[in-house]
Amino acid sequence: MGNSIFAVGLAYRQTFVDTKEMAKRGSELRTHMLHAAKAVFLETGFERASMDRIAAHAGTTKRTLYAHFVRKEDLFLAVFDLVLDLQLDHLKGPADYAHDPGQALVLFCARFLETVLSSKPIRLFRLAITEAERFPQGAVRLHEAMFENVQARVALFLHERLGVADAESQTLAQGLLAQLLYPRFTRALFGADEPAATWSEELGASPAVDLNAIRQVVGSLVPLTA
């Protein structure tokens, strides 16, 4: 009897471990397929990207791909969610960059400009605009995440670290991003200029954007006294 109970318990534990491992592998596979889909969508656009091609690029079967994403439309929107979540997690908030408020804002804005001015993000913005009528929720999500969310992070930092009134902090944050983005972002978006930034892991060591220019904009708009 004792051995029987022990055997049942052992089998249950093994089933639980196997289920967790399968869930982990399923999550990893889903992420892998999303990265493959992103590459195909950026290369060919939504219309010409087939589920067969995406599955082949991911090194899996179309049946497996459909088990995770019922329609190509679902996969397309999931790619946007993945990319935006990864970028925003990497961006973090101004307070994560430096103790000094001015330097924190400069480095945060530099990382933000790298995010939106590099070639792959620019291609993602163009793809969202191209498919905006078909997938308005994707375009809105992109705008909210990459502009409104970033503005909110800057405004919160100004309010908490520099004591700027809530309404004024929103205005200052909007003005700061507008000064930084225009006209370089729109020129890159429409192909008037090549994307200016290339990704750098360490801003202080090898910035892909001009920190002095960003510092001037920050200094001219933001009261850097707590």
Side-chain angles (χ1 to χ4, degrees):
M1 178 70 176
N3 288 339
S4 175
I5 293 174
F6 177 77
V8 170
L10 195 62
Y12 175 81
R13 181 178 182 278
Q14 187 60 48
T15 300
F16 177 73
V17 171
D18 290 344
T19 301
K20 283 186 68 177
E21 283 300 312
M22 287 177 63
K24 180 182 177 183
R25 288 198 298 271
S27 177
E28 291 173 349
L29 176 59
R30 185 179 189 275
T31 300
H32 174 70
M33 290 189 294
L34 284 172
H35 282 287
K38 179 191 72 171
V40 174
F41 283 134
L42 287 178
E43 181 183 348
T44 67
F46 175 82
E47 197 65 46
R48 292 192 296 159
S50 68
M51 295 293 268
D52 286 297
R53 182 169 183 174
I54 293 169
H57 195 80
T60 188
T61 64
K62 189 166 70 169
R63 180 178 179 178
T64 300
L65 186 62
Y66 273 117
H68 287 263
F69 307 99
V70 177
R71 303 178 306 154
K72 185 170 72 168
E73 289 82 355
D74 299 326
L75 178 57
F76 185 76
L77 292 175
V79 165
F80 272 85
D81 285 337
L82 171 76
V83 173
L84 293 171
D85 288 342
L86 288 174
Q87 288 181 339
L88 289 173
D89 284 345
H90 190 75
L91 185 62
K92 299 183 173 61
D96 295 302
Y97 287 81
H99 177 72
D100 176 74
Q103 183 70 353
L105 274 176
V106 168
L107 294 179
F108 175 82
C109 289
R111 179 63 81 200
F112 169 63
L113 284 182
E114 280 193 334
T115 301
V116 298
L117 292 179
S118 294
S119 58
K120 285 186 179 179
I122 287 291
R123 288 164 61 193
L124 184 68
F125 283 114
R126 290 172 179 164
L127 180 61
I129 293 170
T130 300
E131 301 296 340
E133 289 191 12
R134 192 199 308 260
F135 302 104
Q137 64 270 49
V140 169
R141 164 99 167 96
L142 180 61
H143 185 272
E144 288 177 347
M146 294 312 301
F147 299 108
E148 295 179 25
N149 185 291
V150 172
Q151 179 181 321
R153 294 183 188 195
V154 173
L156 182 63
F157 179 80
L158 294 175
H159 179 66
E160 291 185 343
R161 290 290 299 275
L162 295 173
V164 179
D166 189 42
E168 185 183 356
S169 70
Q170 295 289 341
T171 301
L172 282 174
Q174 185 179 59
L176 176 60
L177 295 186
Q179 286 269 11
L180 292 170
L181 288 170
Y182 186 80
R184 68 190 79 182
F185 174 70
T186 52
R187 289 186 63 82
L189 184 64
F190 287 99
D193 292 331
E194 288 296 316
T198 55
W199 192 261
S200 65
E201 289 300 324
E202 297 294 337
L203 282 168
S206 179
V209 293
D210 186 353
L211 293 184
N212 287 329
I214 296 171
R215 193 169 284 111
Q216 289 178 6
V217 173
V218 170
S220 67
L221 291 175
V222 179
L224 294 175
T225 54

